[in-house]
Structure formats: C-alpha cells, structure tokens
Amino acid sequence: MYVASVRPAERVKGKVPGTVVALGTVSLLTDVSAEMITAFMPVYLLYTLQMGYAQFGILDGLYTGATAVLRLVGGHLSDRTHRHKAVAAVGYGLSAATKLVFPAVGANAFGIGATMAADRAGKGLRTAPRDALISLATPPDRLGAAFGLHRAMDTVGALLGPLVTFLLLYQIGIVAGPVFVVSACFAVIGLIVLIAFVRENPARATKGPKPSIKAGLALLKDASYRKVTIAAAVLGLATLSDAFVFILVQKATDVPQAVLPLMPLGTALVFLAAAAPIGRLADKVGRWPVFLAGHVLLLAVYVLLLAPGSGYFGAGAALLLHGLFYAATDGVLSARVSTLVPESLRASGLSVVQTGQALTRLVSSVGFGFLLQFAAFGTAVYAAIGALVLAVVLAWRMS
C-alpha cells in the first residue's frame, strides 16, 4: 500500500491552503449553477412534460453516468501533463456552455438527455483534477479538513441554487429559459475565478509510476485500494440519486409539490454545517468508518419513507439525515483514496474510484426508475432498503 509522506514543516501548518479556498469559491459558484438545474428538472420533466418515472430514471442515469469514462480521461490527462488546473478548466467550461444549450432544445426529451449528458461530461473531466489540486496542496494529515472545507463551500452554492430557482419560478412560473440563462451566468463566473485565482501546483519530480490510464487501472492490484474501489462501487449501486430521494420524500410526506425545488436546499444546509467538522472527525477516528456510517444514515432516510403522511416534520428529518450522509461520504472518500495512491497518479487514482461510483449510480437510477414506474411505491422503497443493507454489510466485511 502506498503511504503518503509528510514533510515536518507541513505538520505545523494548521490552516487549509489558499488553493483549497479558491477552489471552494469556484465550486460554490458552479454549484449554484448546477443545483439550479437539479432543482428545476424534476418539476419540469415530471410535472410539465409529464414524463414517466422510467423515462426520468433513464435521463437521471445519463446525467450521472455520463461522467464515468471522462473521469478516467480527466485524471489521466492531468497527471500526465501535470496541468490539473487546465484540464479542470475545460470541464468547467463545457458545463457552462451546456447551460446555454438547454433553452434551444426545448421540450425534446432526446435533446434534454444529450445536453444533460454533456453537462455531466464536463463534471467528469473536472472532478479528479480538482480533487488532485486539493490533495497535492494539502498535508496528508489535513486532508479530511481540506476536503471538508471545500465541500462546505461547494454546499453554499448548493444552498443558493435551489433558492434562486424557487424565486425565479415564483416570479415567472415554470418557464425554462430564464432558469438556464441565470444558471449559465453563475457557471461562467466560476470559470473566471478558476482561471484568475487558482494556482497550479508546481511541477516537480514525484515518486511513483509514470502517469497513464494503464498505470491508473494497475492501482487496483493494491489490495487496500482495490477494496475501497469495489466497496464504493457496490454502495453506489444501492444509492438513489438526489432527484429520486427528493421525489420520494415529497410523495411519502405529502408536502406540497411547490416545496420540491426547495428540498435540495435542506440537504445542502445540513451538509454546509456538518462537512468541515465531520471531515476533521474522519482525520482523527478513521475515514473509512465515517464513510460507512454515512451510508447507515442514508439507510435511515429510506426507512423514513415508509412513514406516509408525516408532513413537514418527516421531510425535515429525511433532509437532515440526507445532508449528514453527504457530509460523511463525499469529501471523506476522496481523502481516504488520496492516501492510497502516489502523487504521480493522484488524479488517476481518484478518477478510477469515481468512475466506478458513476457507473453503478447510472444503473441505480435506471433500475429504480423502472421499479417505481411499474411497482407499488412501498415495494420500490423496500427494494432500496434491502439493496443498501446488503451493500453496507458487504462494504463493512471488505474493510
């Protein structure tokens, strides 16, 4: 197993590097853009275009799975060229451009699906290089705190995005054009901040294999890294997408449909408050136990869906647990993986794990969409609970 080296001077630095703060600002602005679309799409597709759950599940799966292969490409290119910032900028730029394409495709399901896939392709390109920039700029013993701070800033954007969408819809009704244009503006500003204020880590001789896609996949020969990769993929297979969680919470609790675009805000608010302290906790007690505990919290969300008509109290409890799930898993997994791979393959190592998650979550969205379309609500929820219990047990036994 690769063990990251720690220079003595780095250990005495208690603060998170400026690179992390700058990238957090980029992610904040970009997440305003992305979460505006996330909040708008269920309302637009299910209630305006009258799509079925199966069709929605396919589009949602594309939205998640389109990142898969490009995560490997982004990780490989950034490691090989040591231009993590440049590769990330291409990804951020692609996502920004797609926001201007959405109004042009109108109500065409194929066009919406293709544009959503292109948007997520941009995310696929940028995620591993961005996380590599964070991990390479941060002492190994501060990785949990650094990723926690970044995810917290990212979540400020996730808070603001649904709120902006809600205010727009309140003022103009369910009209797609203005939502997409405002979303594009936030994405472009985020790209400008990346280019102007994020520093590239200086190229230096690093220990480890020469970067290549083959070398990145060869990391799976290491038992510890392989277990984390497989376990994360198995858990991804049993993880419902955010869109489906919010739809199910609205249906189970009987809160008004008008509240649906605001549900991501509830999850994001909890994530914002909890990401940094849980990241620090993971640094102290172990990142993998915290990661698994996060999925137990997600299991509790699924169980709450079996209490129909619980109203705002039930919705609030579900969103609280959903936010804690993200705080315990999102940045914590990246911090864990960063300690298992050499610097020369940092982005590649992160991208392999992220690709596994993206592919299994694609399967999860498509499968659950069909299940919800053709089976009873309770049957679909029980299936989700059973799958997640099995996945948590398997991941725990592999650790």
Side-chain angles (χ1 to χ4, degrees), residues 228-252:
V228 169
T229 303
I230 295 173
V234 169
L235 288 166
L237 190 61
T239 301
L240 299 182
S241 71
D242 292 353
F244 270 126
V245 168
F246 300 140
I247 290 167
L248 292 175
V249 168
Q250 187 272 323
K251 287 178 67 68

Side-chain angles (χ1 to χ4, degrees), residues 251-277:
K251 287 178 67 68
T253 60
D254 290 331
V255 298
Q257 287 182 0
V259 177
L260 184 57
L262 287 178
M263 286 191 176
L265 190 150
T267 293
L269 183 62
V270 177
F271 190 5
L272 173 63

Side-chain angles (χ1 to χ4, degrees), residues 16-26 149 153:
V16 169
T19 296
V20 178
V21 178
L23 284 167
T25 304
V26 175
L149 175 63
M153 295 183 71

Side-chain angles (χ1 to χ4, degrees), residues 196-231:
F197 295 104
V198 174
R199 293 182 179 180
E200 180 72 85
N201 290 306
R204 64 178 187 269
T206 55
K207 295 180 180 180
K210 183 178 179 180
S212 67
I213 292 179
K214 182 179 180 181
L217 294 174
L219 291 170
L220 292 168
K221 295 178 181 179
D222 177 79
S224 297
Y225 178 81
R226 183 173 63 251
K227 288 179 180 179
V228 169
T229 303
I230 295 173

Side-chain angles (χ1 to χ4, degrees), residues 12 19 36 87 131 165 176 179 212 217 249 276 303 319 325 328 332 350:
V12 300
T19 296
M36 284 184 66
V87 176
D131 284 355
T165 295
V179 174
S212 67
L217 294 174
V249 168
V303 172
L319 296 178
F325 154 70
V332 172
L350 287 163

Side-chain angles (χ1 to χ4, degrees), residues 78-85 133 136 199-207 343-344:
S78 60
D79 277 339
R80 189 175 185 84
T81 64
H82 206 81
R83 300 288 299 276
H84 303 92
K85 174 181 171 179
L133 282 168
L136 291 172
R199 293 182 179 180
E200 180 72 85
N201 290 306
R204 64 178 187 269
T206 55
K207 295 180 180 180
E343 287 188 8
S344 66

Side-chain angles (χ1 to χ4, degrees), residues 7 13-14 41-42 48 61 89 92 144 160 179 184 204-205 217 221 250 308 310 322 326 338 341 344 358 393 395:
R7 289 184 282 273
K13 294 181 180 180
M41 277 302 177
T48 301
Y92 280 109
L160 295 175
V179 174
R204 64 178 187 269
L217 294 174
K221 295 178 181 179
Q250 187 272 323
S310 55
H322 197 233
Y326 270 114
S338 294
V341 295
S344 66
V393 171

Side-chain angles (χ1 to χ4, degrees), residues 144-377:
F147 278 106
L149 175 63
H150 173 267
R151 296 316 196 249
M153 295 183 71
D154 180 274
T155 306
V156 173
L159 274 168
L160 295 175
L163 185 59
V164 172
T165 295
F166 178 79
L167 292 174
L168 281 173
L169 298 183
Y170 180 78
Q171 293 293 327
I172 64 176
I174 303 177
V175 182
V179 174
F180 294 131
V181 170
V182 174
S183 173
C185 290
F186 277 104
V188 169
I189 296 171
L191 179 62
I192 292 171
V193 172
L194 174 73
I195 294 171
F197 295 104
V198 174
R199 293 182 179 180
E200 180 72 85
N201 290 306
R204 64 178 187 269
T206 55
K207 295 180 180 180
K210 183 178 179 180
S212 67
I213 292 179
K214 182 179 180 181
L217 294 174
L219 291 170
L220 292 168
K221 295 178 181 179
D222 177 79
S224 297
Y225 178 81
R226 183 173 63 251
K227 288 179 180 179
V228 169
T229 303
I230 295 173
V234 169
L235 288 166
L237 190 61
T239 301
L240 299 182
S241 71
D242 292 353
F244 270 126
V245 168
F246 300 140
I247 290 167
L248 292 175
V249 168
Q250 187 272 323
K251 287 178 67 68
T253 60
D254 290 331
V255 298
Q257 287 182 0
V259 177
L260 184 57
L262 287 178
M263 286 191 176
L265 190 150
T267 293
L269 183 62
V270 177
F271 190 5
L272 173 63
I278 289 182
R280 291 192 294 269
L281 176 67
D283 284 337
K284 294 179 180 179
V285 305
R287 289 149 190 162
W288 194 246
V290 171
F291 180 72
L292 290 179
H295 286 83
V296 175
L297 294 172
L298 181 62
L299 180 62
V301 176
Y302 294 177
V303 172
L304 283 176
L305 297 174
L306 298 175
S310 55
Y312 287 103
F313 176 81
L319 296 178
L320 170 66
L321 292 167
H322 197 233
L324 290 173
F325 154 70
Y326 270 114
T329 57
D330 192 11
V332 172
L333 178 61
S334 293
R336 171 59 177 156
V337 173
S338 294
T339 63
L340 298 176
V341 295
E343 287 188 8
S344 66
L345 294 175
R346 187 63 51 84
S348 297
L350 287 163
S351 69
V352 170
V353 176
Q354 293 163 358
T355 296
Q357 278 191 312
L359 289 173
T360 54
R361 287 185 177 183
L362 183 157
V363 175
S364 172
S365 288
V366 174
F368 190 77
F370 276 92
L371 185 62
L372 197 59
Q373 178 82 36
F374 300 108
F377 179 86

